Amino acid sequence: MQLPTLPEIEAAQSIVYAAMPPTPQYSWPLLNQRLGGQAYIKHENHSPVGAFKLRGALIYATWLKETRPGLQTLVAATRGNHGQGVGLAARLLGLRAIIVVPHGNSREKNAAMLAQGVELIEHGDDFQASLEYARELAAAPANATSHAFIESFHPRLVMGTATYALEFFRATPPLDTIYVPIGLGSSICGVSAARNALGLKTEVVGVVAASSPSYALSFRERRVVEHPSQTQIADGLACRLPNADAMQVIWNNVSRIVEVSDAEIAFAMRAYYQDTHNLSEGAAAAALAGALKEKDTLAAKTIGIVLTGANVDLDLFSQVLEEKL
């Protein structure tokens, strides 16, 4: 996959900024003490949908509307944040949105998507099953001209995530290392694109849930490896089958992938709350968990950590705070 260039990322920013301002990046003293180094947090949890996904959805949906005459409906599969982004992008562009989620999906994320005006369909036991059903729905003969499927990994999504990475790199001192969670891969590919476009030497490190190890296994074996996901806390990292295009970018641009346990993710969620009073969902806290796991190597380094979203259910967050997970 061809990564976006600097002019393409800057053009994408103009689309994003029509709907939201740049998100902040802060260095928190208590968190720095915990890490034993200087860290800057990119607060994508401050977007209008509480997560970075709006950026890519806006770029992707705008492109589809410009290139698909007769387009009326966007169709996507999600565990939550992608669907919220697609729902808001559709509403801003005057389109409908149909979102497919697996059974047992987060109630609060479902409610947030419904509040954006989407039609919500529950199908399948995991994200991969929802994804396959959503593709079939969008491709049905009756929907051929009016519906478009919004992939969960696509070059336009990467272009969107690169907009936050460009903000981050331009607003901080030179970063030695940046930690990025990997769900299906758009974030880490966007970070890689912005790093390359600016000619920086920042080391890009991916972080996955140890109980959802498909990307880590694929990275080590240099081939796409399918593996069941069993994470109970980081639904945004619950990927069974890695995207081949994303893996190609990761193999070429990422230094390593760190695996963190659900307990380490829960610890990072508490650390965000205690040290910064920011909410973090499990997937979003994984990057901090990865940095904490490698804290002994971070002295005298300046690092970046991407906090990708805040959309955690109240019941789950209560268990995290009470250390019941």
Side-chain angles (χ1 to χ4, degrees):
M1 187 190 81
Q2 188 76 29
L3 290 176
T5 64
L6 184 58
E8 288 173 331
I9 300 169
E10 290 174 333
Q13 283 184 321
S14 67
I15 295 172
V16 170
Y17 297 158
M20 60 174 280
T23 56
Q25 41 280 311
Y26 297 131
S27 184
W28 299 89
L30 286 173
L31 203 56
N32 290 338
Q33 289 178 17
R34 190 187 294 272
L35 286 161
Q38 181 79 26
Y40 289 85
I41 309 301
K42 182 57 170 170
H43 282 283
E44 287 297 283
N45 57 318
H46 291 188
S47 89
V49 298
F52 74 98
K53 293 285 191 177
L54 175 59
R55 295 174 183 263
L58 284 166
I59 303 303
Y60 198 167
T62 299
W63 172 69
L64 283 171
K65 188 172 183 181
E66 291 173 350
T67 58
R68 289 279 303 270
L71 179 64
Q72 299 176 11
T73 302
L74 303 177
V75 183
T78 189
R79 293 301 301 262
N81 290 338
H82 180 55
Q84 289 185 64
V86 171
L88 179 51
R91 186 157 59 82
L92 292 173
L93 292 169
L95 301 170
R96 293 175 58 235
I98 298 174
I99 306 298
V100 184
V101 300
H103 292 290
N105 197 52
S106 159
R107 293 190 305 274
E108 293 179 29
K109 287 183 179 178
N110 287 354
M113 286 184 281
L114 288 168
Q116 294 290 356
V118 312
E119 178 184 340
L120 194 72
I121 298 174
E122 292 184 286
H123 181 90
D125 294 326
D126 65 4
F127 170 74
Q128 190 65 31
S130 299
L131 180 67
E132 292 163 4
Y133 179 77
R135 281 189 179 134
E136 292 172 4
L137 179 64
N143 299 331
T145 60
S146 61
H147 290 49
F149 182 65
I150 299 281
E151 297 280 355
S152 296
F153 183 88
H154 187 274
R156 299 284 162 171
L157 295 180
V158 173
M159 197 176 293
T161 62
T163 65
Y164 83 63
L166 190 60
E167 293 170 9
F168 199 12
F169 286 127
R170 282 179 164 169
T172 59
L175 300 175
D176 297 300
T177 305
I178 184 168
Y179 289 88
V180 189
I182 302 176
L184 205 55
S186 66
S187 253
I188 200 160
C189 291
V191 169
S192 298
R195 186 270 312 266
N196 295 353
L198 292 171
L200 302 176
K201 298 186 182 301
T202 305
E203 178 186 46
V204 178
V205 177
V207 186
V208 301
S211 50
S212 182
S214 60
Y215 271 85
L217 293 171
S218 300
F219 184 77
R220 287 199 297 269
E221 298 189 23
R222 298 288 295 187
R223 65 183 181 89
V224 173
V225 177
E226 184 174 357
H227 192 284
S229 173
Q230 296 179 314
T231 177
Q232 299 300 305
I233 194 170
D235 57 359
L237 306 184
C239 177
R240 168 162 50 97
L241 181 64
N243 180 277
D245 288 337
M247 281 310 314
Q248 196 63 54
V249 174
I250 290 168
W251 286 322
N252 292 336
N253 292 278
V254 174
S255 296
R256 63 188 174 278
I257 293 180
V258 180
E259 297 179 62
V260 292
S261 68
D262 279 11
E264 289 170 322
I265 292 171
F267 181 88
M269 293 170 72
R270 289 193 295 275
Y272 268 132
Y273 187 75
Q274 291 168 340
D275 296 353
T276 78
H277 288 113
N278 273 265
L279 285 179
S280 173
E281 59 193 271
L288 175 58
L292 287 167
K293 193 162 190 171
E294 297 192 338
K295 64 179 292 186
D296 291 343
T297 70
L298 300 181
K301 287 187 177 181
T302 302
I303 66 169
I305 301 173
V306 183
L307 200 175
T308 50
N311 297 321
V312 56
D313 282 3
L314 176 61
D315 289 347
L316 177 60
F317 192 60
S318 296
Q319 292 179 62
V320 168
L321 292 180
E322 294 170 7
E323 300 187 38
K324 292 183 177 179
L325 290 175

